[in-house]
Amino acid sequence: MSDATTTGGLFSRHYRLVTIGAISLIFVAAFENLAVTTVMPVISAELDGAALYAVAFAAPLAVSVLGMVVAGTWADRAGPRHPLYASVALFVLGLFVAGTATTMEAVVAGRLVHGLGGGAMTVSLYVVVARVYPPALQPRIFGLFAAAWVIPALVGPFIAGVLGETVGWRWVFLGVAVLSVFAAVMVVPAMRSMREPDAAPKPPWSAPRILWSLLLAVAILGLSLSTELDGIAVFALGGVALVVTVIALRPLIPPRTLLGGRGLPTVVLLRMLLAGGYVAAEVYLPYFLTGEFGLSPALAGLALTAAGVAWGVSSWLQGQFSDRLTTRTSLRIGTAGVSLAVGIVLLTAFLGLPAWVAIVGWAVSGAGMGLCYPRLSVLVLEYSAPGNQGFNSSALNIADAVGPAMALSFAGILFQSFDAFPAVFALGLLLTLGALTLSGRTGTPATAEAATGVSSR
């Protein structure tokens, strides 16, 4: 539990080890995300894996849901320490499998293991924030989490592009695995310094909830794999997978989330739509720049670099001015910025504008995400009591995974059907505009809502 009376900043003696350890893991995850997104067109070309391009991104997001649910329940019962250790181990194992793969199917398999660990790691870190930091410091630590993407954004895409063109793309995965081990070593003393959870009631292990998360992961995988089929079979399997996805998702998120209920449900749904639209555009942007303009992976990665830097800077700024910039204003400006950026990329693809328009325009998306993401994370914690911090944190991160996974699955279907980038970017714009319409419905957490974790409005 955090101690409200504790004074000092994030790097004061009381918080220093936890802050450094947590930021190190976020740094490694950020580097992996940006590097793999940059180099995936090279992997796809070398392993003849164009048909599995979207699946390589959707698969780890799908199985991350299972890791999130297990880690969330585990953390609520015994604290986040052991779930965090286990998640890092899976994260490293998955990177090693992908880095030694000889087929695109093996790359996807490694990404599955990596995604399972990554999902659990994210939820564990959220619970660390809730248990360690007082409310006044939470916007700042989430701001630093986003700012930890700045250096990976500056060097990650370029390094990945150079590696892909010289010694080989495998060293992107293997290099990140080595970095992950060093980050894990830093986390160990940080976790030892953290207090044990208090005597609040501990929820039992929920076998049904874990089974729902497993079914959800399988359904999303089925949706993404439907791109391998032809004709009506694509829509048949896709339709069934979509229905199962919605059914399996409902027990894993707050009630009325899919209906956009005011308060916590809207926070989770907004995150789902925003993440889906952003990731669908981001994943296909390097593919678009290398395929349509002939840019090298290193040059195409400049778009990710610009967005990553803007994300980190704007996230840091919102943390510094959290007492002046309201959450509602941050969400409205941020979602509008992401929608504008995706619209610019869509116009570039549709009208044949120069590549630099998309690269520069995509930086706006990062600035918008930097304003939104920390505030959504803080809102979830404000709606949470100690006994459901893990559930609500996992729900938010499930939204982070399910939104992009479903968006990438539909993007893959659109791309395979029309062989056109504008269709993919139009999907991303539709989703981000949906998030913009919800940005004023997140509400203000009240005492009763914070105790239950569910909005009454």
Side-chain angles (χ1 to χ4, degrees):
M1 288 286 291
S2 60
D3 185 356
T5 64
T6 300
T7 59
L10 295 176
F11 293 96
S12 63
R13 182 183 59 84
H14 186 74
Y15 302 115
R16 185 182 302 121
L17 288 177
V18 178
T19 298
I20 294 175
I23 291 176
S24 297
L25 286 175
I26 295 294
F27 176 90
V28 171
F31 188 91
E32 182 274 337
N33 179 282
L34 292 165
V36 172
T37 302
T38 301
V39 81
M40 190 59 74
V42 177
I43 300 173
S44 175
E46 181 175 323
L47 300 181
D48 192 23
L52 292 175
Y53 185 88
V55 179
F57 292 97
L61 290 169
V63 297
S64 70
V65 173
L66 178 60
M68 292 171 186
V69 171
V70 173
T73 303
W74 193 357
D76 280 341
R77 287 180 54 82
R81 180 184 305 173
H82 296 298
L84 188 59
Y85 293 164
S87 65
V88 173
L90 286 172
F91 188 83
V92 173
L93 176 61
L95 291 171
F96 180 79
V97 172
T100 56
T102 56
T103 65
M104 193 65 173
E105 289 79 6
V107 171
V108 172
R111 299 273 288 164
L112 285 169
V113 178
H114 153 265
L116 185 65
M121 184 170 67
T122 301
V123 170
S124 299
L125 288 174
Y126 271 60
V127 180
V128 168
V129 171
R131 294 278 172 90
V132 173
Y133 300 96
L137 291 181
Q138 288 174 4
R140 297 186 180 184
I141 185 62
F142 281 123
L144 281 182
F145 280 1
W149 284 66
V150 172
I151 295 178
L154 285 171
V155 301
F158 179 76
I159 291 176
V162 171
L163 289 176
E165 295 173 341
T166 55
V167 298
W169 55 265
R170 300 180 188 281
W171 287 101
V172 173
F173 291 103
L174 298 177
V176 173
V178 174
L179 290 175
S180 301
V181 173
F182 282 110
V185 170
M186 295 181 66
V187 167
V188 171
M191 292 297 98
R192 286 175 180 170
S193 69
M194 190 178 67
R195 301 181 187 182
E196 294 296 326
D198 62 10
K202 295 177 173 57
W205 282 102
S206 175
R209 190 162 179 264
I210 294 174
L211 290 175
W212 280 121
S213 67
L214 178 60
L215 179 62
L216 177 61
V218 172
I220 295 176
L221 284 173
L223 183 61
S224 63
L225 289 171
S226 64
T227 59
E228 293 286 285
L229 304 177
D230 297 318
I232 195 172
V234 174
F235 301 98
L237 176 59
V240 172
L242 179 61
V243 172
V244 175
T245 296
V246 173
I247 293 173
L249 178 62
R250 291 184 63 190
L252 304 177
I253 54 179
R256 302 182 66 243
T257 293
L258 298 180
L259 299 176
R262 184 177 292 274
L264 180 63
T266 288
V267 174
V268 176
L269 180 60
L270 193 159
R271 183 85 157 225
M272 190 182 305
L273 293 174
L274 185 64
Y278 177 85
V279 171
E282 181 190 54
V283 163
Y284 276 88
L285 184 55
Y287 201 179
F288 169 62
L289 294 174
T290 56
E292 297 296 313
F293 294 96
L295 299 184
S296 68
L299 287 177
L302 288 176
L304 306 185
T305 296
V309 172
W311 187 328
V313 171
S314 67
S315 184
W316 178 81
L317 288 174
Q318 70 77 34
Q320 295 301 306
F321 299 100
S322 59
D323 55 339
R324 304 179 191 176
L325 186 64
T326 66
T327 294
R328 177 172 294 187
T329 300
S330 294
L331 295 180
R332 284 180 172 173
I333 295 175
T335 52
V338 177
S339 299
L340 174 63
V342 178
I344 291 173
V345 173
L346 172 60
L347 287 176
T348 302
F350 188 74
L351 300 178
L353 301 178
W356 66 264
V357 175
I359 294 173
V360 174
W362 192 242
V364 180
S365 72
M369 295 293 276
L371 285 175
C372 290
Y373 257 50
R375 295 304 178 94
L376 292 173
S377 300
V378 171
L379 276 175
V380 165
L381 295 184
E382 289 178 350
Y383 276 118
S384 303
N388 61 17
Q389 290 165 344
F391 175 86
N392 289 343
S393 295
S394 67
L396 185 69
N397 287 280
I398 285 170
D400 251 343
V402 171
M406 292 181 65
L408 286 169
S409 298
F410 285 116
I413 293 173
L414 289 172
F415 191 75
Q416 290 292 101
S417 300
F418 300 103
D419 192 24
F421 288 103
V424 174
F425 298 138
L427 172 65
L429 179 59
L430 179 65
L431 294 174
T432 56
L433 288 176
L436 177 60
T437 62
L438 292 174
S439 60
R441 292 179 50 83
T442 56
T444 302
T447 303
E449 295 170 348
T452 61
V454 178
S455 174
S456 59
R457 291 169 289 181

